[in-house]
């Protein structure tokens, strides 16, 4: 159904008629803008949000260093986007579902995912919930209502719409939030998801982290329109644009979006304007497509520094507490990483389980052949050899986690 009125000469529109403002509360010096009101946020919750931001930053720094040392195969950082991810998560109910893209580890930190749980996944050891089947940073947690990450871009967006439809039918007052970058919004899945959500009126929040780049492609080369927010008009959907480095604004915007989703079954699109301070991933070199000057300008807008100043201004934090917490977090990350490195991999048998109720004869033959091959070449597969025969000594040159490597 459309709503329109008649005209009697050609009249075209480009969308320039619409202007979407950016919602901001907190200035970079830690004070509120004139006329702005901070959301209701007590000291305990404010410090929980800030601690999660710091934990995420320290985790990312240490694990990227570990990747550079060859201890990890791959890593992706949230650096510069902590306020967007954690501010939004803090505004949700802990039972709301999160469907992330791959840069939202801060949401897990806020909900209580431990360093051990992070490390077990990153190293794919025997305690990894995914049994070593996923590449690093593909976290998931059923208990924390965080859907496991999948590599294909944007697949989580229509899945979020479908899951939210189920939440609507259940009627228990929960919603789903799905995070994605502005690059993923160019996928067809984005449009299908928004259309379905709007037509069926489901409690879902589409949270776009517009960090300026789809890997190396700047936003100016991705779309001609004014960002992602205007696309909501095509689906008659509520939309808000927010300063993604302003944790208070993100928190408040997501609070209001959740009310629309849960109380009125209205989907909402949030576009958080932020910047990816780190490389796209450990495989990327951003110096090839952006300048140091640009990066430094955004470092001045660091979301962690902005919230830290606000906390200090309120008397809830101090520079002494900052140093003490950062030092303790770095120690804890290194200690946890060393433990995770030393844990053995999942048993080889797990390669063929969890698909069929019983392992098929064909899979069993393949597994037996693999075991024979590993036993024949234990020096080439030291971890696999130990998994099969703990008493077998692999080649003398076998790598031992933590040996001859400095701290990350």
């Amino acid at each position: 159904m459309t709503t329109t009125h008649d005209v009697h000469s050609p009249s075209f529109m480009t969308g320039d008629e619409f202007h979407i403002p950016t919602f901001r509360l907190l200035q970079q010096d830690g004070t509120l803008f004139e006329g702005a009101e901070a959301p209701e946020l007590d000291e305990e919750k404010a410090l929980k949000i800030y601690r999660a931001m710091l934990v995420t930053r320290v985790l990312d720094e240490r694990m990227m260093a570990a990747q550079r040392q060859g201890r990890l195969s791959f890593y992706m950082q949230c650096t510069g986007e902590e306020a967007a991810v954690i501010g939004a998560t803090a505004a949700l109910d802990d039972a709301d579902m999160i469907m992330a893209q791959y840069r939202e580890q801060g949401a897990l930190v806020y909900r209580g995912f431990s360093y051990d749980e992070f490390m077990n996944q990153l190293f794919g050891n025997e305690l990894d919930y995914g049994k070593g089947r996923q590449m690093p940073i593909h976290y998931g947690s059923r208990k924390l209502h965080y859907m496991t990450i999948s590599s294909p871009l944007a697949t989580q967006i229509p899945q979020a719409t479908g899951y939210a439809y189920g939440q609507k039918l259940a009627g228990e007052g929960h919603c789903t939030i799905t995070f994605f970058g502005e690059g993923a919004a160019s996928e067809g899945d984005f449009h299908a998801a928004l259309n379905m959500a709007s037509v069926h009126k489901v409690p879902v929040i589409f949270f776009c982290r517009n960090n300026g780049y789809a890997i190396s492609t700047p936003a100016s080369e991705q779309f001609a329109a004014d960002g992602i927010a205007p696309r909501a008009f095509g689906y008659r959907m509520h939309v808000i644009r927010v300063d993604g480095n302003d944790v208070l604004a993100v928190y408040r915007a997501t609070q209001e979006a959740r009310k629309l989703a849960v109380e009125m079954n209205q989907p909402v699109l949030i576009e958080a304007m932020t910047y990816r301070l780190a490389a796209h991933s450990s495989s990327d070199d951003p110096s090839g497509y952006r300048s140091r000057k640009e990066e430094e300008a955004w470092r001045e807008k660091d979301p962690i520094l902005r919230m830290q100043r606000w906390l200090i201004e309120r008397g809830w934090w101090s520079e002494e507490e900052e140093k003490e917490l950062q030092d303790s977090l770095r120690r804890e990350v290194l200690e946890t990483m060393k433990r995770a490195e030393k844990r053995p991999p999942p048993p080889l048998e797990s390669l063929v389980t969890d698909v069929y109720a019983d392992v098929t004869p064909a899979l069993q033959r393949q597994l037996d052949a693999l075991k024979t091959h590993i036993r024949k070449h234990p020096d080439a597969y030291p971890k696999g050899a130990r998994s099969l025969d703990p008493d077998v000594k692999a080649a003398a040159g076998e790598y031992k986690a933590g040996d001859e490597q400095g701290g990350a």
Side-chain angles (χ1 to χ4, degrees):
M1 185 177 104
T2 59
T3 57
T4 186
H5 64 275
D6 295 339
V7 295
H8 304 291
S9 62
S11 178
F12 297 94
M13 301 178 70
T14 64
D16 291 339
E17 300 82 1
F18 304 103
H19 174 70
I20 300 179
T22 300
F23 175 48
R24 291 188 170 98
L25 293 175
L26 194 60
Q27 300 183 84
Q28 192 59 34
D29 64 2
T31 62
L32 294 171
F33 283 97
E34 183 178 353
E37 292 184 10
E40 293 184 9
L41 199 61
D42 60 29
E43 180 178 356
E44 181 181 0
K45 187 158 190 175
L47 290 176
K48 181 180 179 181
I49 291 171
Y50 184 66
R51 188 182 191 282
M53 293 171 71
L54 271 184
V55 168
T56 304
R57 180 69 63 90
V58 171
L59 176 70
D60 284 349
E61 290 173 352
R62 297 299 91 193
M63 299 322 295
M64 181 59 79
Q67 193 280 333
R68 293 299 188 235
Q69 292 178 339
R71 300 164 88 166
L72 277 184
S73 61
F74 181 79
Y75 196 75
M76 299 186 81
Q77 296 170 279
C78 182
T79 307
E81 301 180 52
E82 296 93 347
V85 174
I86 297 167
T89 302
L92 303 173
D93 184 274
D94 285 344
D96 291 338
M97 176 57 74
I98 296 175
M99 294 193 180
Q101 184 161 304
Y102 44 51
R103 206 181 298 282
E104 291 83 17
Q105 51 265 41
L108 278 171
V109 171
Y110 182 82
R111 286 195 171 178
F113 208 62
S114 70
Y115 276 143
D116 276 302
E117 289 172 304
F118 277 113
M119 297 299 174
N120 292 335
Q121 195 286 323
L122 291 169
F123 288 98
N125 62 38
E126 64 179 356
L127 298 182
D128 171 24
Y129 297 141
K131 301 182 181 180
R133 295 166 178 163
Q134 285 271 27
M135 63 189 293
I137 65 91
H138 286 53
Y139 314 108
S141 175
R142 180 177 298 177
K143 66 182 179 182
L144 298 180
H145 303 280
Y146 188 101
M147 187 69 73
T148 301
I149 302 298
S150 57
S151 291
L153 202 62
T155 55
Q156 78 278 10
I157 308 177
Q159 290 167 0
T161 295
Y163 196 92
Y165 185 69
Q167 290 173 314
K168 175 182 176 179
L169 296 179
E172 296 176 353
H174 299 304
C175 70
T176 295
I177 189 170
T178 179
F179 291 95
F180 52 93
E182 85 287 345
S186 294
E187 296 283 345
D189 282 350
F190 168 84
H191 298 281
L194 267 67
N195 188 56
M196 179 181 172
S198 188
V199 168
H200 293 285
K201 299 188 183 305
V202 302
V204 60
I205 300 170
F206 299 102
F207 195 103
C208 176
R209 299 176 289 92
N210 188 339
N211 63 21
Y213 291 90
I215 307 182
S216 60
T217 305
S220 60
E221 296 179 19
Q222 296 179 52
F223 40 78
D226 177 26
I228 305 302
R231 300 184 190 182
F233 298 144
Y235 303 103
R236 203 172 187 184
M237 183 180 295
H238 288 80
V239 62
I240 187 170
R241 175 177 285 158
V242 62
D243 180 349
N245 286 18
D246 179 348
V247 70
L248 299 186
V250 172
Y251 179 79
R252 178 68 186 280
T254 310
Q255 271 188 323
E256 296 302 316
R258 187 181 187 278
K259 287 180 183 178
L260 288 167
V262 172
E263 297 176 11
M264 300 176 63
N265 282 317
Q266 292 290 341
V268 182
L269 173 62
I270 298 176
E271 182 180 23
M273 309 307 291
T274 183
Y275 190 82
R276 192 193 74 217
L277 285 175
H280 171 73
S281 73
S282 55
S283 304
D284 175 46
D285 177 9
S287 67
Y289 54 85
R290 66 187 193 191
S291 68
R292 291 282 186 185
K293 184 178 180 181
E294 177 183 306
E295 291 179 357
E296 289 306 315
W298 276 95
R299 288 191 190 282
E300 294 297 318
K301 303 174 185 178
D302 190 325
I304 291 181
L305 187 58
R306 192 183 305 192
M307 187 178 191
Q308 179 197 114
R309 289 167 175 167
W310 179 73
L311 290 170
I312 291 174
E313 192 267 339
R314 295 180 69 87
W316 290 353
W317 197 242
S318 67
E319 293 182 0
E320 293 75 19
E321 290 172 300
E322 177 81 14
K323 184 180 186 306
E324 182 181 346
L325 178 58
Q326 291 219 25
D327 289 345
S328 67
L329 291 177
R330 289 190 174 94
R331 286 194 301 271
E332 188 177 352
V333 168
L334 290 174
E335 291 168 2
T336 310
M337 180 172 63
K338 291 175 182 178
R339 288 198 301 270
E341 283 181 303
K342 293 176 181 177
R343 292 189 181 111
L348 279 174
E349 284 75 12
S350 67
L351 286 171
V352 297
T353 58
D354 301 327
V355 176
Y356 302 100
D358 298 304
V359 177
T360 65
L363 284 175
Q364 188 61 53
R365 287 194 296 272
Q366 292 176 42
L367 179 62
D368 291 342
L370 175 62
K371 289 179 177 179
T372 299
H373 179 75
I374 290 174
R375 287 192 170 105
K376 186 176 180 180
H377 305 283
D379 55 333
Y381 309 98
K383 291 185 177 181
R386 282 204 310 272
S387 175
L388 285 173
D389 303 296
D391 294 330
V392 170
K393 302 296 183 183
E398 175 187 340
Y399 166 75
K400 294 181 181 178
D403 290 356
E404 300 178 0
Q405 302 243 16

